[in-house]
Amino acid sequence: MSTENTIDGEIPAQGAAAEAAGIEPGQAPNVEPPPEPAGNRVIREIMSGNAVLSFLAIVLGLLVASVLIAITDPGVQAAAGYLFARPGDTFVAIGNAIGGAYYALFQGSIYNFQRPGFGSGIRPLTETLTFATPLIAAGLGVALAFRVGLFNIGGRGQIIIAAAVAGWISWSFPMPFFIHMLVATLGAIVGGAVWGGLVGLLKARTGAHEVIVTIMLNYVAFYLVAFLLRTQGALQANGSNNPVSPPADATAVYPNLTNLITALGGPPTSFRLHFGFILVILATIFVWYLLNRSSLGFRFRAVGENPNAARVAGINVKTVYILAMVLSGALVGLAGAAQVLGTTTTGFSSGVDAGIGFDAITVALLGRSKPWGVFFAGILFGALKAGGYLMQASQGIPIDIILVVQSVVVLFIAAPPLVRSVFRLPRPGGVRPARRTRRAAEAVAK
Amino acid sequence: MTRRESQDGATLVPTHPAGADAPIVHEKAVMRSLKFPIVLDVFAVIALILAFALPRSGTSTFSLSTAKDLFQIPPIPVPTVATVIAVAILLVALAVLAHLYVARSASGRVPLWLTTVFALLFLFAFLAWASAGKTIPVPGLLVGSLALSTPLIFGALGGVISERVGVVNVAIEGQLLGGAFTGAVVGSITHSPWAGLIAAMVAGVLVAMLLAVFSIRYVVDQVIVGVVLNVLVTGLTSFFYSKVLAADQSLNHPVRFTKLPIPGLSEIPIIGPVFFQQTIIVYLMYVAVIAVWFGLFKTRWGLRLRSVGEHPTAADTVGINVNRTRFWNVSIAGAIAGIGGAYFTLDSVGTFSKEMTNGAGFIALAAVIFGRWDPIRATLAGLMFGFATNLQYQLASIGSPVPSEFLLMLPYVVTILAVAGFVGQVRGPAAANKPYIKS
């Protein structure tokens, strides 16, 4: 994939796609060739950016957050009241507000210098990885679907179903340690795969658009599990009046870093980072292998690039859609397992997805739908989440600002010409100065 | 599927009997899909189960007027078991009739009257069964339904315009939420619900303009922009709510619109209190539904809009500026959805709270699709979804055994059935989600 990504670079590809759709051979005249899924064009865009743009998009996201922090800070508002008398105060106040926020973000996500010793100082980094674990798993699932030209917006539903299955296996079937854990994880993966595969099946069999079906299935899953959670004998904890499940059985819970350190005879610690992170690394390697080294992955990518060409080349596009959604759901299901067996093992409610299903979309986009890109994007957003909690606690900045950062980053990532125009960057590979490119882009866009 | 069918379930039936040398004049595709009768079968079986497997004894009472009404109608009691059994048998007969229509009639379709009668009968049987020994307040059921439907209908109208012009609008949720937040804040500061309403429209337009700029000028995929905008608006409104509104409660106490009963009309039994004792926002909704329908199908504006959404190249050829048309119509759609957001804070609820729209934007999207991108049908779908949601509250309050979650699930399930082709043929505007790049 080249780095060519401006709008004018887009035209030949569009034209070619339209041409390919128009002169499709071997089709009955009364059957319209299916249009190229929008996802395919997105993939071309997402895949062809570069790391600099991602970095600048993150900078812009943090910049927007800084503005929000500054204008809502009481100190800044007080100082702005006498802005013209002593303008310096306002800038000091802004500096304090933003500096304090980002220092808290750093301390909450990487290393806390206020804690004694390395063992507890490094805890924030492990928190980052804990938050990143389900984000990476679900992000991989969404990214895999993107590569096949499918939007999996159904992460929420898939996580909820997967979590319910994992939890149910964990407290219903006593098994020895480790085996129980694997079986419960497998159950979650199957749960997610079924919920995702349903979408693929509907798309392949009836042509139902996966965006609509996944959005709707999110709510179906939510209400289904909400019902099971308040029904005795289903998922509700015995004798409880609240819609909460029983805690996961100890033999099914992922061992965490603290368990490992204790087992090795180390000092008592309170790390939450769990075995799920290792599963997620394995999943990343699996997706990388699948997409880049396997014949199935080749078919996936071929369909993602151009389903019409793929079909002409003898690939069964419908089967690929079903398989892709099954695998995508399975990966998202792993995130559900990480939630129930790793992070919140004390019983879950119908809000078990914690927004991961939608965060996963931003993770996949920031990671440009490449397995390792998703991995690091997941860690970045994990860091924002982990740091966001400390920022909320110590600086009084609501954690919701992380959503703003995430969405702004993704908006900029998705629109490289915008980032280039903000930073007056030259067009990649071009010799022309930035301004002319922008004009050309404008002319085309109009 | 029993017949040889092509991909979309259509069977090709020559209208001319194909003799040895008879020339085939033309072929007409007759849809003989069994999917819809099967849906009716399923509902008939559910009714049979309610009648025979899970019978509930007692008397179901339908009360038709409230104490405030001018004309009092006595409540209607019906014996539960007999009613449910009788209606279930009727439903089975109708389902069989539907199969006959598909198999025998010239058009191969189930007629509309059959569907309507079937739906009403099923609803009647279900209500009778669910309210055994209790009283169902029909006016309350309908008033609440309209209240829950109003934001859905505004959102759906916005969605219809936006998608008809070729921009997929997943950001309805964001537009509703942005409208609700801005309406609350501006309505509180100015002490004027009108200012709040206008501010909510502006907020909806701003979200829509972001959608338009990113999807038209920067050619970002429309679904991605929509999803991300929802996250952005959720983040922004929640941030300001926690940081600003929570600290200063006076910013979150807008003056609400008052109810304006229309003289005469509001005295009509049953429907008067439902439709004509409402706030100005609801009356605006009636106007908006008709205006959008008229505008889309009877004016030059609508023709241009639809042509841009169906075939932008052709529209461009005849001199329509495709991207400008898209930009401004998506913005108008945002303004309409913004009113729906204002309904939450300036009418029904009265204060803003975090993520208060709670998925209404996605139900509105479902209404757009279930209503096949038609403003009237989308409105009816919105009413139906609002009814399902309110029915769940009513049944919970009279202590019925129906799990509320399944009624809440209903809009989403029927939308999946609709896009999967079980309920009618769903086909969106041809150029939706396709950026237009002039070459």
Side-chain angles (χ1 to χ4, degrees):
Chain A
M1 190 73 61
S2 77
T3 51
E4 185 71 29
N5 193 38
T6 53
I7 294 163
D8 16 0
E10 190 75 20
I11 301 163
Q14 288 276 332
E19 239 176 64
I23 54 158
E24 182 87 346
Q27 285 226 320
N30 57 342
V31 181
E32 267 190 32
E36 182 196 33
N40 305 343
R41 190 179 47 70
V42 182
I43 292 157
R44 280 204 296 277
E45 268 176 24
I46 292 167
M47 299 289 296
S48 57
N50 57 37
V52 178
L53 282 175
S54 303
F55 175 75
L56 292 177
I58 294 166
V59 169
L60 284 172
L62 292 176
L63 206 65
V64 170
S66 308
V67 172
L68 287 180
I69 291 168
I71 60 170
T72 56
D73 186 72
V76 174
Q77 283 165 354
Y82 52 90
L83 175 67
F84 295 105
R86 286 168 66 189
D89 279 15
T90 306
F91 292 112
V92 170
I94 291 177
N96 283 341
I98 297 174
Y102 288 132
Y103 186 58
L105 193 66
F106 177 82
Q107 283 202 324
S109 62
I110 296 171
Y111 195 90
N112 194 338
F113 295 106
Q114 286 163 357
R115 298 264 181 81
F118 180 78
S120 71
I122 200 67
R123 187 172 179 273
L125 187 63
T126 65
E127 280 296 287
T128 291
L129 299 182
T130 311
F131 279 110
T133 302
L135 287 178
I136 295 169
L140 285 171
V142 174
L144 185 73
F146 268 140
R147 293 288 288 270
V148 191
L150 297 169
F151 285 105
N152 182 1
I153 308 184
R156 186 179 176 209
Q158 289 149 18
I159 288 177
I160 290 175
I161 295 290
V165 176
W168 179 65
I169 291 177
S170 86
W171 67 70
S172 302
F173 304 98
M175 270 179 252
F177 175 73
F178 199 73
I179 296 174
H180 199 178
M181 191 176 88
L182 289 188
V183 172
T185 308
L186 204 66
I189 289 173
V190 170
V194 167
W195 210 246
L198 191 61
V199 179
L201 194 69
L202 281 175
K203 184 177 176 79
R205 291 270 169 222
T206 69
H209 201 288
E210 79 278 5
V211 169
I212 294 156
V213 178
T214 47
I215 290 175
M216 301 304 148
L217 278 179
N218 280 343
Y219 289 95
V220 174
F222 175 82
Y223 288 120
L224 185 66
V225 171
F227 167 70
L228 295 174
L229 277 171
R230 68 172 184 83
T231 308
Q232 282 290 333
L235 293 179
Q236 195 176 34
N238 267 339
S240 169
N241 285 325
N242 297 327
V244 178
S245 78
D249 202 43
T251 50
V253 169
Y254 292 151
N256 60 24
L257 199 55
T258 301
N259 302 140
L260 181 70
I261 291 172
T262 319
L264 294 175
T269 48
S270 62
F271 295 121
R272 295 199 305 156
L273 182 61
H274 51 79
F275 179 69
F277 189 67
I278 294 174
L279 288 180
V280 160
I281 295 175
L282 294 176
T284 313
I285 295 169
F286 165 75
V287 174
W288 171 83
Y289 177 84
L290 177 78
L291 281 175
N292 297 332
R293 290 289 182 273
S294 74
S295 120
L296 184 63
F298 177 75
R299 279 183 279 157
F300 277 10
R301 286 182 290 136
V303 172
E305 295 284 336
N306 188 336
N308 297 327
R311 191 176 51 247
V312 173
I315 294 172
N316 188 337
V317 176
K318 291 184 174 183
T319 313
V320 165
Y321 281 153
I322 298 175
L323 275 177
M325 282 310 297
V326 166
L327 282 171
S328 175
L331 286 161
V332 179
L334 187 59
Q339 281 294 94
V340 172
L341 306 176
T343 319
T344 50
T345 54
T346 52
F348 61 91
S349 69
S350 52
V352 64
D353 67 295
I356 292 163
F358 280 101
D359 290 345
I361 301 168
T362 53
V363 168
L365 290 169
L366 180 62
R368 295 182 189 284
S369 296
K370 293 172 184 166
W372 291 105
V374 169
F375 185 80
F376 291 109
I379 289 179
L380 177 77
F381 282 168
L384 285 177
K385 270 198 178 182
Y389 281 107
L390 185 66
M391 208 159 79
Q392 175 163 296
S394 72
Q395 305 288 311
I397 297 164
I399 182 105
D400 309 294
I401 199 160
I402 299 307
L403 291 179
V404 179
V405 177
Q406 272 181 353
S407 49
V408 171
V409 168
V410 172
L411 274 183
F412 280 115
I413 292 257
L418 185 62
V419 180
R420 286 201 199 96
S421 67
V422 169
F423 288 100
R424 315 247 154 189
L425 287 183
R427 210 179 113 187
V431 284
R432 290 182 292 171
R435 281 185 60 186
R436 263 180 68 192
T437 313
R438 249 169 58 229
R439 268 199 208 135
E442 274 163 24
V444 173
K446 266 173 193 168
Chain B
M1 278 176 268
T2 51
R3 289 160 184 271
R4 186 175 55 85
E5 284 177 347
S6 65
Q7 202 172 359
D8 52 354
T11 317
L12 293 176
V13 178
T15 49
H16 220 64
D21 52 352
I24 294 173
V25 183
H26 70 282
E27 285 192 337
K28 193 182 171 198
V30 176
M31 306 285 299
R32 287 196 193 276
S33 171
L34 281 174
K35 283 176 178 172
F36 190 64
I38 288 171
V39 172
L40 296 189
D41 292 346
V42 170
F43 279 99
V45 168
I46 293 174
L48 285 177
I49 291 172
L50 294 184
F52 294 107
L54 304 163
R56 304 187 73 209
S57 58
T59 307
S60 312
T61 312
F62 293 83
S63 81
L64 296 177
S65 52
T66 58
K68 294 181 295 182
D69 290 357
L70 188 65
F71 301 101
Q72 289 289 326
I73 304 172
I76 303 171
V78 292
T80 305
V81 177
T83 311
V84 177
I85 290 178
V87 177
I89 291 167
L90 262 177
L91 288 175
V92 172
L94 283 174
V96 171
L97 197 60
H99 277 280
L100 286 177
Y101 263 107
V102 167
R104 298 267 183 269
S105 77
S107 68
R109 287 168 188 234
V110 180
L112 188 63
W113 68 262
L114 200 156
T115 314
T116 318
V117 170
F118 189 95
L120 290 175
L121 279 178
F122 181 82
L123 185 65
F124 176 63
F126 178 75
L127 284 178
W129 179 83
S131 64
K134 305 273 172 46
T135 300
I136 284 252
V138 176
L141 190 58
L142 296 179
V143 170
S145 306
L146 189 69
L148 289 167
S149 302
T150 304
L152 304 182
I153 291 172
F154 276 116
L157 288 177
V160 166
I161 295 180
S162 182
E163 304 218 351
R164 280 276 183 167
V165 83
V167 177
V168 170
N169 196 350
V170 188
I172 301 174
E173 176 83 357
Q175 291 164 347
L176 289 177
L177 195 59
F181 177 82
T182 331
V185 172
V186 175
S188 304
I189 293 173
T190 60
H191 302 291
S192 157
W194 289 101
L197 182 64
I198 290 169
M201 291 169 75
V202 171
V205 170
L206 285 179
V207 177
M209 280 185 170
L210 276 177
L211 173 69
V213 166
F214 276 93
S215 59
I216 296 169
R217 177 160 170 198
Y218 294 108
V219 213
V220 185
D221 185 86
Q222 295 162 359
V223 173
I224 288 183
V225 186
V227 169
V228 174
L229 280 178
N230 286 337
V231 177
L232 178 67
V233 176
T234 307
L236 280 176
T237 53
S238 301
F239 174 79
F240 281 112
Y241 173 76
S242 306
K243 185 84 188 173
V244 183
L245 298 195
D248 186 357
Q249 286 292 330
S250 68
L251 286 174
N252 197 6
H253 274 288
V255 180
R256 286 153 78 171
F257 283 106
T258 46
K259 292 217 186 303
L260 296 171
I262 296 180
L265 289 177
S266 61
E267 309 296 341
I268 303 171
I270 305 177
I271 62 166
V274 175
F275 290 108
F276 303 111
Q277 286 182 20
Q278 295 289 355
T279 63
I280 194 79
I281 297 189
V282 178
Y283 298 137
L284 258 176
M285 177 186 84
Y286 304 154
V287 176
V289 171
I290 294 166
V292 170
W293 171 80
F294 185 83
L296 273 182
F297 298 112
K298 306 285 171 194
T299 67
R300 190 158 65 173
W301 165 72
L303 185 63
R304 291 186 167 186
L305 187 158
R306 286 180 292 133
S307 70
V308 165
E310 287 291 340
H311 202 316
T313 319
D316 195 8
T317 312
V318 297
I320 299 170
N321 187 327
V322 171
N323 285 333
R324 191 189 294 159
T325 310
R326 285 187 169 180
F327 182 86
W328 289 112
N329 284 306
V330 171
S331 304
I332 293 172
I336 296 176
I339 305 176
Y343 180 77
F344 285 100
T345 46
L346 299 176
D347 190 333
S348 63
V349 182
T351 50
F352 182 81
S353 56
K354 254 189 189 184
E355 297 178 47
M356 73 182 303
T357 51
N358 194 18
F362 291 111
I363 305 189
L365 183 67
V368 172
I369 296 153
F370 195 65
R372 302 185 214 169
W373 292 268
D374 175 286
I376 304 289
R377 283 207 189 103
T379 303
L380 293 177
L383 285 172
M384 187 183 102
F385 294 166
F387 181 80
T389 311
N390 190 47
L391 186 60
Q392 164 265 131
Y393 290 126
Q394 296 282 345
L395 292 183
S397 70
I398 63 167
S400 134
V402 184
S404 59
E405 286 85 358
F406 288 97
L407 283 169
L408 290 170
M409 223 186 260
L410 193 71
Y412 309 108
V413 174
V414 296
T415 306
I416 293 174
L417 290 178
V419 291
F422 281 94
V423 187
Q425 206 55 21
V426 170
R427 195 191 70 84
N433 206 11
K434 290 199 185 71
Y436 179 68
I437 299 160
K438 200 169 177 171
S439 47

